[in-house]
Amino acid sequence: MRDQEPATDAAERRLSTKETAELLGVKPETVYAYVSRGQLSSRREPGGRGSTFDPQEVEALARRNRREANGTSSSGGELSVRTRITLIDKDRYYFRGVDATELAARHTYEEVAEWLWTGHLRPGVTFSAPHASVAVARRAVDALPEHTGSTDRLRAAATAAAAADPLRFDLSEEAVLGTARMLIPTLVTALPPVLPGHRDRGPLAHRLWARLSGRPADEASLRALDTALALLVDHDLAASTLAVRIAASARAHAYAAVSAGLGVIEGPLHGAASGLAHRLLLEVLDRGAAGPVIADELREGRRIPGLGHRLYRGEDPRARALFTLLEGIPHAAPALAAARDIVTTTARHAALHANVDLALAVLSTSCGMPSTAGETIFAVARTAGWIAHALEEYGERPLRMRPSGHYVGPRPPQPLPQALPG
């Protein structure tokens, strides 16, 4: 049996696609679907003709699949956290029991955030920040190197705003909500504007637009941006949200909890994934067809960004809602056509659907935004969800987010290590 093979053999020898498919009990096409979803990583060996896979990673996925088949795991993870915030079920997702896409279609980002935090709608609510908070955050952001990314700027702004708030350690619901309503507009306003002559007023989406695009915004584009923010407010226990809950479990204040989320969101399999989809979309637009671009990606053993999601069998409902809005924007038509070409071309070898990263890429490319725009939108939007999870965690037993390690190192007692020769 494979379990009894020496660890050194498993580490040295990688698996072929056929061996991986046999171990997982799936077709070879499904193996590449796992790669596209980020559930497996592949590598092409020098001189090799196909992709190879890490045996330990494959066996971990096989164990996870068996647990899911036996009903012993939720969404592929071993940690389960009770929450009243978001439910993902049958290719739909809900905020406090209400269809999230319908909420986003009818309400602004700020209104959806209030619903997530309190269970009450506040029609017409807008978030504003005191001048002192914005000023200190801007100074911190302006001091960063010119090449600094948007998430770095948001992290610096959050840290500066925290340092300027002597009451940040008050974890009462009222205090945390006050922090949230101030922190989110502070993060946005601290980012350097690229639209000349813009005045920071009105809904948050208007202020964010001026930080993402140098083009004047039309109502349809602003509506698409605001809806994207509302759709992305929360998505259950994503990696960044789990980091926030761990920080809140240790009773870190709201600014620190948000900073924990921002630290995780930069990963290419999380918030930064939309940037990869943006660049892919630009290349398809430049070359005129998705076929040669997808072929290059597959030849290099890379996953196709913007496709597939481990929580949805069909199309990501966030992508579907955003695509519907973008169809009403004439200048988005070329990018939408390119996105459909990507999906159709990739479907020839793997049944993958568009996810929200591809929809964000259509929004950013068609509105003259940089490749990092999707990551910025994601981070700003998700801050509201992180606050909701932090509030929920503050009501739980402290330090409960403490899993036990499964030690697999050398068994003690071991001799004291010897110093390496000088």
Side-chain angles (χ1 to χ4, degrees):
M1 294 176 62
R2 292 192 60 83
D3 296 347
Q4 297 171 334
E5 290 178 6
T8 52
D9 292 344
E12 292 172 359
R13 184 181 177 279
R14 292 176 64 84
L15 300 175
S16 68
T17 302
K18 181 181 178 182
E19 290 171 326
T20 300
E22 290 174 352
L23 183 59
L24 294 172
V26 299
K27 297 178 180 179
E29 293 86 351
T30 306
V31 173
Y32 290 110
Y34 284 133
V35 174
S36 296
R37 294 173 187 144
Q39 293 173 269
L40 273 181
S41 58
S42 64
R43 191 174 75 197
R44 294 178 69 88
E45 302 294 346
R49 300 180 62 183
S51 299
T52 62
F53 301 86
D54 183 336
Q56 295 181 2
E57 188 177 335
V58 173
E59 291 199 13
L61 178 59
R63 288 194 299 271
R64 188 161 68 242
N65 288 348
R66 287 194 293 269
R67 286 197 299 269
E68 290 179 349
N70 294 331
T72 57
S73 174
S74 174
S75 301
E78 296 181 350
L79 179 63
S80 178
V81 178
R82 290 169 59 88
T83 177
R84 295 177 177 271
I85 299 171
T86 300
L87 168 68
I88 300 174
D89 183 50
K90 297 177 182 177
D91 282 357
R92 299 175 71 180
Y93 73 122
Y94 306 83
F95 293 154
R96 295 188 178 274
V98 178
D99 188 287
T101 58
E102 292 182 14
L103 268 177
R106 291 169 172 77
H107 297 280
T108 67
Y109 166 69
E110 288 98 322
E111 291 169 350
V112 173
E114 288 286 345
W115 170 254
L116 210 66
W117 296 335
T118 68
H120 300 287
L121 278 173
R122 296 177 60 199
V125 63
T126 58
F127 298 156
S128 59
H131 176 75
S133 175
V134 172
V136 71
R138 276 181 171 168
R139 286 197 296 272
V141 169
D142 289 345
L144 297 173
E146 187 177 345
H147 67 270
T148 303
S150 60
T151 305
D152 290 322
R153 292 189 171 106
L154 292 172
R155 251 197 323 265
T159 301
D165 183 2
L167 303 181
R168 62 187 178 276
F169 296 101
D170 185 348
L171 303 186
S172 65
E173 182 175 345
E174 182 180 4
V176 172
L177 287 176
T179 295
R181 294 174 184 129
M182 177 188 71
L183 175 59
I184 294 174
T186 296
L187 295 179
V188 171
T189 313
L191 295 174
V194 293
L195 183 62
H198 175 79
R199 299 180 66 182
D200 285 319
R201 60 186 180 187
L204 192 82
H206 293 216
R207 285 169 272 169
L208 182 58
W209 179 278
R211 271 82 189 166
L212 299 176
S213 176
R215 300 178 186 174
D218 57 85
E219 280 303 314
S221 298
L222 280 174
R223 179 60 183 147
L225 176 58
D226 185 71
T227 301
L229 289 167
L231 290 167
L232 290 165
V233 161
D234 190 54
H235 207 233
D236 195 32
L237 286 184
S240 57
T241 305
L242 179 59
V244 168
R245 291 199 75 128
I246 291 172
S249 177
R251 296 305 182 257
H253 53 72
Y255 298 93
V258 167
S259 294
L262 289 169
V264 174
I265 208 170
E266 278 193 291
L269 300 181
H270 197 13
S274 61
L276 301 176
H278 177 106
R279 288 187 282 273
L280 178 74
L281 202 58
L282 285 181
E283 188 172 357
V284 172
L285 287 167
D286 182 58
R287 297 176 68 172
V293 179
I294 300 301
D296 288 345
E297 296 293 311
L298 294 176
R299 188 176 296 112
E300 296 299 323
R302 292 192 292 261
R303 62 189 295 268
I304 309 301
L307 299 179
H309 197 290
R310 62 181 301 184
L311 299 183
Y312 300 115
R313 291 183 179 275
E315 188 176 36
D316 184 334
R318 301 168 298 176
R320 186 165 55 248
L322 198 49
F323 281 143
T324 299
L325 272 181
L326 290 166
E327 286 169 359
I329 303 175
H331 58 255
L336 270 172
R340 293 191 183 102
D341 193 9
I342 290 170
V343 174
T344 302
T345 301
T346 308
R348 297 173 190 169
H349 81 93
L352 296 174
H353 300 273
N355 62 35
V356 74
D357 297 316
L358 189 60
L360 283 175
V362 172
L363 174 65
S364 57
T365 55
S366 59
C367 292
M369 298 175 182
S371 62
T372 56
E375 183 178 342
T376 306
I377 295 167
F378 197 106
V380 170
R382 194 56 59 87
T383 300
W386 293 336
I387 293 291
H389 282 273
L391 273 170
E392 197 170 60
E393 193 60 38
Y394 290 148
E396 299 286 350
R397 175 175 54 83
L399 294 174
R400 71 184 184 119
M401 308 290 280
R402 176 63 168 85
S404 298
H406 177 57
Y407 180 75
V408 294
R411 302 304 303 174
Q414 294 287 324
L416 287 172
Q418 299 296 314
L420 293 173

